[in-house]
PDB file of all heavy atoms in Angstrom:
ATOM      1  N   ALA A 503      -3.719 -22.408  22.478  1.00  0.00           N
ATOM      2  CA  ALA A 503      -3.835 -23.693  21.881  1.00  0.00           C
ATOM      3  C   ALA A 503      -3.547 -24.793  22.888  1.00  0.00           C
ATOM      4  O   ALA A 503      -3.463 -25.951  22.476  1.00  0.00           O
ATOM      5  CB  ALA A 503      -2.936 -23.774  20.628  1.00  0.00           C
ATOM      6  N   GLY A 504      -3.208 -24.451  24.120  1.00  0.00           N
ATOM      7  CA  GLY A 504      -2.904 -25.489  25.080  1.00  0.00           C
ATOM      8  C   GLY A 504      -1.446 -25.901  25.120  1.00  0.00           C
ATOM      9  O   GLY A 504      -1.131 -26.949  25.725  1.00  0.00           O
ATOM     10  N   PHE A 505      -0.612 -25.202  24.353  1.00  0.00           N
ATOM     11  CA  PHE A 505       0.838 -25.568  24.279  1.00  0.00           C
ATOM     12  C   PHE A 505       1.615 -24.743  25.222  1.00  0.00           C
ATOM     13  O   PHE A 505       1.959 -23.661  25.010  1.00  0.00           O
ATOM     14  CB  PHE A 505       1.302 -25.369  22.845  1.00  0.00           C
ATOM     15  CG  PHE A 505       2.704 -25.884  22.567  1.00  0.00           C
ATOM     16  CD1 PHE A 505       3.006 -27.246  22.548  1.00  0.00           C
ATOM     17  CD2 PHE A 505       3.756 -25.036  22.391  1.00  0.00           C
ATOM     18  CE1 PHE A 505       4.182 -27.770  22.271  1.00  0.00           C
ATOM     19  CE2 PHE A 505       5.052 -25.539  22.159  1.00  0.00           C
ATOM     20  CZ  PHE A 505       5.331 -26.878  22.136  1.00  0.00           C
ATOM     21  N   THR A 506       1.889 -25.303  26.433  1.00  0.00           N
ATOM     22  CA  THR A 506       2.519 -24.590  27.456  1.00  0.00           C
ATOM     23  C   THR A 506       4.002 -25.295  27.701  1.00  0.00           C
ATOM     24  O   THR A 506       4.331 -26.223  26.999  1.00  0.00           O
ATOM     25  CB  THR A 506       1.805 -24.711  28.775  1.00  0.00           C
ATOM     26  OG1 THR A 506       1.692 -26.070  29.197  1.00  0.00           O
ATOM     27  CG2 THR A 506       0.364 -24.081  28.665  1.00  0.00           C
ATOM     28  N   PHE A 507       4.752 -24.697  28.662  1.00  0.00           N
ATOM     29  CA  PHE A 507       6.030 -25.282  28.932  1.00  0.00           C
ATOM     30  C   PHE A 507       5.946 -26.761  29.310  1.00  0.00           C
ATOM     31  O   PHE A 507       6.669 -27.690  28.841  1.00  0.00           O
ATOM     32  CB  PHE A 507       6.781 -24.495  30.029  1.00  0.00           C
ATOM     33  CG  PHE A 507       7.255 -23.161  29.560  1.00  0.00           C
ATOM     34  CD1 PHE A 507       6.820 -22.006  30.043  1.00  0.00           C
ATOM     35  CD2 PHE A 507       8.291 -23.198  28.596  1.00  0.00           C
ATOM     36  CE1 PHE A 507       7.397 -20.800  29.704  1.00  0.00           C
ATOM     37  CE2 PHE A 507       8.827 -21.902  28.175  1.00  0.00           C
ATOM     38  CZ  PHE A 507       8.360 -20.746  28.705  1.00  0.00           C
ATOM     39  N   SER A 508       4.961 -27.107  30.130  1.00  0.00           N
ATOM     40  CA  SER A 508       4.801 -28.405  30.671  1.00  0.00           C
ATOM     41  C   SER A 508       4.317 -29.355  29.554  1.00  0.00           C
ATOM     42  O   SER A 508       4.906 -30.511  29.452  1.00  0.00           O
ATOM     43  CB  SER A 508       3.745 -28.449  31.810  1.00  0.00           C
ATOM     44  OG  SER A 508       2.579 -27.941  31.479  1.00  0.00           O
ATOM     45  N   THR A 509       3.311 -29.007  28.696  1.00  0.00           N
ATOM     46  CA  THR A 509       2.943 -29.864  27.659  1.00  0.00           C
ATOM     47  C   THR A 509       4.052 -30.138  26.630  1.00  0.00           C
ATOM     48  O   THR A 509       4.181 -31.128  26.059  1.00  0.00           O
ATOM     49  CB  THR A 509       1.657 -29.343  26.986  1.00  0.00           C
ATOM     50  OG1 THR A 509       1.870 -27.987  26.492  1.00  0.00           O
ATOM     51  CG2 THR A 509       0.513 -29.305  27.886  1.00  0.00           C
ATOM     52  N   ALA A 510       4.781 -29.087  26.338  1.00  0.00           N
ATOM     53  CA  ALA A 510       5.906 -29.134  25.396  1.00  0.00           C
ATOM     54  C   ALA A 510       6.940 -30.134  25.887  1.00  0.00           C
ATOM     55  O   ALA A 510       7.427 -30.994  25.179  1.00  0.00           O
ATOM     56  CB  ALA A 510       6.534 -27.785  25.149  1.00  0.00           C
ATOM     57  N   LEU A 511       7.311 -29.999  27.296  1.00  0.00           N
ATOM     58  CA  LEU A 511       8.294 -30.950  27.809  1.00  0.00           C
ATOM     59  C   LEU A 511       7.810 -32.349  27.683  1.00  0.00           C
ATOM     60  O   LEU A 511       8.563 -33.240  27.364  1.00  0.00           O
ATOM     61  CB  LEU A 511       8.580 -30.558  29.289  1.00  0.00           C
ATOM     62  CG  LEU A 511       9.720 -29.770  29.589  1.00  0.00           C
ATOM     63  CD1 LEU A 511       9.816 -29.339  31.003  1.00  0.00           C
ATOM     64  CD2 LEU A 511      11.013 -30.442  29.149  1.00  0.00           C
ATOM     65  N   ARG A 512       6.528 -32.541  28.002  1.00  0.00           N
ATOM     66  CA  ARG A 512       5.912 -33.923  27.993  1.00  0.00           C
ATOM     67  C   ARG A 512       6.087 -34.546  26.566  1.00  0.00           C
ATOM     68  O   ARG A 512       6.389 -35.713  26.395  1.00  0.00           O
ATOM     69  CB  ARG A 512       4.481 -33.915  28.424  1.00  0.00           C
ATOM     70  CG  ARG A 512       3.937 -35.258  28.832  1.00  0.00           C
ATOM     71  CD  ARG A 512       2.546 -35.166  29.320  1.00  0.00           C
ATOM     72  NE  ARG A 512       2.597 -34.517  30.630  1.00  0.00           N
ATOM     73  CZ  ARG A 512       2.070 -33.361  30.932  1.00  0.00           C
ATOM     74  NH1 ARG A 512       1.551 -32.603  29.994  1.00  0.00           N
ATOM     75  NH2 ARG A 512       2.070 -32.771  32.227  1.00  0.00           N
ATOM     76  N   SER A 513       5.816 -33.728  25.543  1.00  0.00           N
ATOM     77  CA  SER A 513       5.912 -34.242  24.216  1.00  0.00           C
ATOM     78  C   SER A 513       7.319 -34.342  23.716  1.00  0.00           C
ATOM     79  O   SER A 513       7.634 -35.253  22.891  1.00  0.00           O
ATOM     80  CB  SER A 513       5.079 -33.342  23.222  1.00  0.00           C
ATOM     81  OG  SER A 513       5.671 -32.051  23.118  1.00  0.00           O
ATOM     82  N   PHE A 514       8.179 -33.491  24.179  1.00  0.00           N
ATOM     83  CA  PHE A 514       9.563 -33.492  23.717  1.00  0.00           C
ATOM     84  C   PHE A 514      10.266 -34.844  24.030  1.00  0.00           C
ATOM     85  O   PHE A 514      11.076 -35.376  23.291  1.00  0.00           O
ATOM     86  CB  PHE A 514      10.447 -32.403  24.359  1.00  0.00           C
ATOM     87  CG  PHE A 514      10.207 -31.073  23.682  1.00  0.00           C
ATOM     88  CD1 PHE A 514      10.833 -29.940  24.201  1.00  0.00           C
ATOM     89  CD2 PHE A 514       9.388 -30.866  22.607  1.00  0.00           C
ATOM     90  CE1 PHE A 514      10.673 -28.764  23.537  1.00  0.00           C
ATOM     91  CE2 PHE A 514       9.168 -29.626  22.007  1.00  0.00           C
ATOM     92  CZ  PHE A 514       9.873 -28.531  22.495  1.00  0.00           C
ATOM     93  N   LEU A 515       9.880 -35.453  25.151  1.00  0.00           N
ATOM     94  CA  LEU A 515      10.532 -36.672  25.691  1.00  0.00           C
ATOM     95  C   LEU A 515      10.227 -37.824  24.623  1.00  0.00           C
ATOM     96  O   LEU A 515      11.026 -38.787  24.639  1.00  0.00           O
ATOM     97  CB  LEU A 515      10.040 -37.095  27.029  1.00  0.00           C
ATOM     98  CG  LEU A 515      10.415 -36.055  28.172  1.00  0.00           C
ATOM     99  CD1 LEU A 515       9.904 -36.536  29.463  1.00  0.00           C
ATOM    100  CD2 LEU A 515      11.928 -35.871  28.146  1.00  0.00           C
ATOM    101  N   ARG A 516       9.259 -37.785  23.778  1.00  0.00           N
ATOM    102  CA  ARG A 516       8.993 -38.700  22.835  1.00  0.00           C
ATOM    103  C   ARG A 516       9.713 -38.498  21.497  1.00  0.00           C
ATOM    104  O   ARG A 516       9.494 -39.270  20.564  1.00  0.00           O
ATOM    105  CB  ARG A 516       7.451 -38.827  22.543  1.00  0.00           C
ATOM    106  CG  ARG A 516       6.669 -39.350  23.804  1.00  0.00           C
ATOM    107  CD  ARG A 516       5.242 -39.566  23.498  1.00  0.00           C
ATOM    108  NE  ARG A 516       4.436 -38.365  23.238  1.00  0.00           N
ATOM    109  CZ  ARG A 516       3.860 -37.680  24.092  1.00  0.00           C
ATOM    110  NH1 ARG A 516       3.867 -38.029  25.417  1.00  0.00           N
ATOM    111  NH2 ARG A 516       3.111 -36.585  23.763  1.00  0.00           N
ATOM    112  N   HIS A 517      10.450 -37.399  21.466  1.00  0.00           N
ATOM    113  CA  HIS A 517      11.170 -37.092  20.212  1.00  0.00           C
ATOM    114  C   HIS A 517      12.635 -37.456  20.283  1.00  0.00           C
ATOM    115  O   HIS A 517      13.410 -36.986  19.439  1.00  0.00           O
ATOM    116  CB  HIS A 517      10.966 -35.614  19.861  1.00  0.00           C
ATOM    117  CG  HIS A 517       9.640 -35.222  19.381  1.00  0.00           C
ATOM    118  ND1 HIS A 517       9.385 -34.930  18.054  1.00  0.00           N
ATOM    119  CD2 HIS A 517       8.431 -35.231  19.985  1.00  0.00           C
ATOM    120  CE1 HIS A 517       8.126 -34.719  17.856  1.00  0.00           C
ATOM    121  NE2 HIS A 517       7.516 -34.854  19.048  1.00  0.00           N
ATOM    122  N   ASP A 518      13.093 -38.121  21.289  1.00  0.00           N
ATOM    123  CA  ASP A 518      14.479 -38.590  21.498  1.00  0.00           C
ATOM    124  C   ASP A 518      15.459 -37.437  21.340  1.00  0.00           C
ATOM    125  O   ASP A 518      16.386 -37.539  20.513  1.00  0.00           O
ATOM    126  CB  ASP A 518      14.783 -39.748  20.478  1.00  0.00           C
ATOM    127  CG  ASP A 518      16.104 -40.365  20.742  1.00  0.00           C
ATOM    128  OD1 ASP A 518      16.517 -40.378  21.924  1.00  0.00           O
ATOM    129  OD2 ASP A 518      16.801 -40.782  19.747  1.00  0.00           O
ATOM    130  N   PRO A 519      15.371 -36.350  22.164  1.00  0.00           N
ATOM    131  CA  PRO A 519      16.287 -35.303  22.118  1.00  0.00           C
ATOM    132  C   PRO A 519      17.562 -35.584  22.935  1.00  0.00           C
ATOM    133  O   PRO A 519      17.490 -36.395  23.818  1.00  0.00           O
ATOM    134  CB  PRO A 519      15.533 -34.087  22.640  1.00  0.00           C
ATOM    135  CG  PRO A 519      14.643 -34.700  23.687  1.00  0.00           C
ATOM    136  CD  PRO A 519      14.276 -36.026  23.159  1.00  0.00           C
ATOM    137  N   ASP A 520      18.651 -34.885  22.550  1.00  0.00           N
ATOM    138  CA  ASP A 520      19.809 -34.938  23.368  1.00  0.00           C
ATOM    139  C   ASP A 520      19.884 -33.818  24.315  1.00  0.00           C
ATOM    140  O   ASP A 520      20.239 -33.864  25.530  1.00  0.00           O
ATOM    141  CB  ASP A 520      21.090 -34.868  22.477  1.00  0.00           C
ATOM    142  CG  ASP A 520      21.173 -36.157  21.579  1.00  0.00           C
ATOM    143  OD1 ASP A 520      21.419 -37.186  22.138  1.00  0.00           O
ATOM    144  OD2 ASP A 520      20.968 -35.896  20.395  1.00  0.00           O
ATOM    145  N   VAL A 521      19.310 -32.615  23.893  1.00  0.00           N
ATOM    146  CA  VAL A 521      19.357 -31.437  24.755  1.00  0.00           C
ATOM    147  C   VAL A 521      17.972 -30.772  24.595  1.00  0.00           C
ATOM    148  O   VAL A 521      17.379 -30.651  23.533  1.00  0.00           O
ATOM    149  CB  VAL A 521      20.442 -30.438  24.284  1.00  0.00           C
ATOM    150  CG1 VAL A 521      20.497 -29.239  25.228  1.00  0.00           C
ATOM    151  CG2 VAL A 521      21.824 -31.108  24.229  1.00  0.00           C
ATOM    152  N   ILE A 522      17.446 -30.285  25.811  1.00  0.00           N
ATOM    153  CA  ILE A 522      16.241 -29.554  25.832  1.00  0.00           C
ATOM    154  C   ILE A 522      16.436 -28.221  26.514  1.00  0.00           C
ATOM    155  O   ILE A 522      17.093 -28.135  27.549  1.00  0.00           O
ATOM    156  CB  ILE A 522      15.157 -30.385  26.584  1.00  0.00           C
ATOM    157  CG1 ILE A 522      14.895 -31.715  25.932  1.00  0.00           C
ATOM    158  CG2 ILE A 522      13.858 -29.604  26.691  1.00  0.00           C
ATOM    159  CD1 ILE A 522      13.998 -32.667  26.677  1.00  0.00           C
TER     160      ILE A 522
END
Side-chain angles (χ1 to χ4, degrees):
F505 188 70
T506 62
F507 285 117
S508 57
T509 56
L511 262 176
R512 197 176 288 109
S513 64
F514 281 179
L515 296 179
R516 294 190 290 270
H517 286 251
D518 188 29
D520 297 290
V521 183
I522 300 174

